[in-house]
């Protein structure tokens, strides 16, 4: 359907560059202003003291921002059928309450990978993290904050973002959305929002943030066929030390969109897709989930039949490359 919309526009100059979902994405961003302000303020205050944090404190902040990026994934216009899905309050305040709803929590494994990679890095080697983006709006801001934290804490030297080459699933991030969001923050009438925007524009200019929009992400293939269908993209991802896949659709494509048993290992569902160590940050909005403890899925199903599609539960699910 989204390709059809795009092809209709492509055949209709002068509107061939028109994004029919632009207005909804912008509205989501503006309606999430209070949450964006709270997050930017929290983050700028964190940056002031980041050099004084010991490893344990740094890990705590990493876990916080990782969870904010996870729950930011609830803001999805295709999921809400275009209804208001903006983030009204700061998710930072409710992280503790939301912890029990993370069904697979591999944050410790992620931290170990990043710390070990950093310790092993030489002067010449670059630690690279790739974020395969999902929604524009508030979720994108949470991803940018996480990316900035990884650079500022020296856990990474370069962040590569992967967005969509055409408007997709209503609120997915395109290059225009990415640049527009940073410009909006830069020109915001709020000191810390504006500071974030200016810093992030600087990261792009310096080349420590890079945006890619390969066509593969909007093709119908599962990721297991990427090496064959888009070997150039697969080779690009192999350069990374860690791939963070945001959102539900990316999870479906990681797991081949099959009706797996809940307890099937994540590695099995990935079906030999491992260009680099990877982690899915996803709130559940479709009926596919793997890597649960035996009986865990069935237990939730008994009391909450809608658990897989409500967006109430999330996973931080890691797989180390073989």
């Amino acid at each position: 359907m989204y390709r059809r919309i795009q092809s209709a526009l492509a055949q209709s100059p002068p509107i061939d560059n028109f994004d029919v979902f632009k207005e909804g994405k912008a509205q989501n961003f503006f309606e999430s202003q209070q949450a964006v302000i709270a997050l930017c303020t929290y983050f700028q205050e964190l940056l002031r003291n980041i050099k004084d944090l010991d490893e344990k404190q740094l890990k705590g902040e990493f876990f916080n921002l990782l969870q904010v990026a996870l729950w930011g994934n609830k803001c999805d216009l295709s999921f809400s059928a275009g209804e208001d899905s903006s983030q009204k309050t700061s998710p930072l305040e409710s992280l503790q309450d939301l912890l029990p709803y993370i069904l697979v929590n591999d944050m410790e494994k992620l931290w170990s990978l990043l710390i070990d990679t950093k310790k092993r890095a030489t002067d010449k080697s670059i630690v690279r993290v790739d974020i395969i983006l999902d929604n524009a709006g508030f979720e994108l801001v949470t991803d940018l904050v996480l990316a900035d934290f990884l650079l500022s804490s020296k856990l990474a030297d370069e962040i590569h973002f992967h967005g969509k080459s055409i408007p997709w699933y209503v609120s997915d991030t395109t290059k225009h959305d990415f640049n527009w969001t940073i410009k909006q923050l830069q020109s915001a009438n709020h000191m810390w929002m504006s500071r974030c925007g200016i810093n992030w524009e600087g990261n792009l200019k310096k080349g420590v943030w890079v945006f890619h929009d390969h066509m593969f992400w909007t093709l119908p293939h599962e990721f297991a066929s990427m090496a064959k269908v888009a070997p150039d993209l697969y080779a690009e991802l192999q350069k990374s030390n860690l791939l963070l896949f945001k959102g539900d659709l990316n999870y479906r494509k990681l797991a081949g969109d099959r009706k797996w048993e809940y307890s099937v290992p994540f590695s099995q569902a990935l079906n030999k897709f491992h260009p680099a160590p990877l982690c899915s940050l996803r709130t559940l909005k479709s009926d596919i989930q793997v890597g649960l403890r035996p009986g865990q899925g069935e237990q939730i199903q008994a009391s909450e039949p809608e658990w897989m599609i409500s967006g109430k539960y999330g996973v931080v699910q890691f797989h180390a490359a073989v």
Side-chain angles (χ1 to χ4, degrees):
M1 182 184 81
Y2 294 100
R3 273 194 299 278
R4 279 292 181 83
I5 293 170
Q6 184 61 18
S7 99
L9 290 169
Q11 293 168 59
S12 313
I15 57 162
D16 51 355
N17 283 326
F18 182 64
D19 180 350
V20 294
F21 307 117
K22 191 171 100 176
E23 201 178 317
K25 288 186 270 196
Q27 191 179 347
N28 175 281
F29 175 80
F30 290 125
E31 287 175 352
S32 304
Q33 284 298 279
Q34 291 313 114
V36 171
I37 287 171
L39 183 56
C40 290
T41 304
Y42 175 86
F43 183 58
Q44 287 301 328
E45 285 171 0
L46 165 61
L47 285 186
R48 284 217 300 261
N49 311 311
I50 200 159
K51 290 187 172 59
D52 305 326
L53 299 184
D54 60 30
E55 193 172 298
K56 191 178 172 203
Q57 291 168 313
L58 205 59
K59 176 176 158 182
E61 295 298 346
F62 173 62
F63 284 6
N64 280 348
L65 294 177
L66 207 53
Q67 289 171 82
V68 169
L70 164 66
W71 298 117
N73 180 238
K74 282 185 174 187
C75 300
D76 182 333
L77 293 172
S78 73
F79 179 59
S80 64
E83 294 300 309
D84 180 12
S85 71
S86 54
Q87 182 78 32
K88 296 287 193 282
T89 56
S90 166
L92 284 153
E93 292 152 20
S94 43
L95 292 185
Q96 211 48 44
D97 301 334
L98 291 169
L99 257 180
Y101 298 100
I102 303 178
L103 301 178
V104 179
N105 187 344
D106 288 337
M107 290 195 288
E108 290 283 353
K109 290 180 186 172
L110 268 187
W111 175 255
S112 299
L113 174 89
L114 287 168
I115 282 291
D116 293 349
T117 307
K118 181 183 172 179
K119 285 174 180 165
R120 281 202 315 272
T122 61
D123 290 343
K124 289 198 177 104
S125 66
I126 282 176
V127 178
R128 166 174 164 172
V129 173
D130 287 52
I131 304 178
I132 294 81
L133 298 168
D134 191 18
N135 299 294
F138 179 71
E139 179 175 1
L140 177 58
V141 177
T142 69
D143 298 335
L144 297 174
V145 165
L146 178 62
D148 193 349
F149 173 80
L150 290 170
L151 282 189
S152 304
S153 62
K154 308 275 193 293
L155 287 166
D157 304 305
E158 256 180 36
I159 310 288
H160 290 247
F161 299 92
H162 300 266
K164 304 299 193 298
S165 56
I166 62 172
W168 196 248
Y169 272 71
V170 188
S171 47
D172 280 22
T173 304
T174 62
K175 185 171 192 171
H176 174 272
D177 299 325
F178 189 85
N179 293 331
W180 180 88
T181 303
I182 291 174
K183 291 261 183 303
Q184 286 301 321
L185 288 161
Q186 258 180 305
S187 59
N189 197 8
H190 186 279
M191 182 169 64
W192 299 132
M193 272 174 81
S194 166
R195 176 73 55 84
C196 281
I198 290 162
N199 289 351
W200 298 345
E201 182 72 29
N203 288 342
L204 288 167
K205 287 204 169 90
K206 281 185 285 199
V208 291
W209 279 13
V210 184
F211 184 90
H212 310 255
D213 56 359
H214 197 286
M215 196 176 87
F216 178 83
W217 304 116
T218 54
L219 293 177
H221 305 286
E222 57 187 287
F223 294 163
S225 57
M226 184 191 291
K228 198 166 76 216
V229 176
D232 56 332
L233 177 59
Y234 195 85
E236 185 62 41
L237 297 183
Q238 284 179 307
K239 298 175 190 170
S240 187
N241 296 96
L242 173 65
L243 309 172
L244 293 174
F245 284 88
K246 291 299 306 286
D248 196 70
L249 184 58
N250 279 327
Y251 191 85
R252 284 168 58 186
K253 290 187 168 187
L254 282 167
D257 217 1
R258 289 165 175 76
K259 208 160 177 57
W260 298 103
E261 296 284 323
Y262 303 136
S263 56
V264 161
F266 190 32
S267 56
Q268 186 183 332
L270 286 169
N271 192 14
K272 303 189 178 65
F273 176 73
H274 36 69
L278 63 88
C279 183
S280 167
L281 295 178
R282 170 236 186 180
T283 58
L284 278 67
K285 300 169 192 162
S286 64
D287 53 357
I288 171 170
Q289 180 58 51
V290 295
L292 298 186
R293 295 187 306 277
Q296 188 182 6
E298 290 79 0
Q299 190 181 353
I300 306 169
Q301 176 79 35
S303 58
E304 296 180 60
E306 303 282 289
W307 70 286
M308 294 185 98
I309 55 169
S310 62
K312 175 180 172 181
Y313 289 95
V315 294
V316 180
Q317 199 158 16
F318 176 74
H319 174 62
V322 178

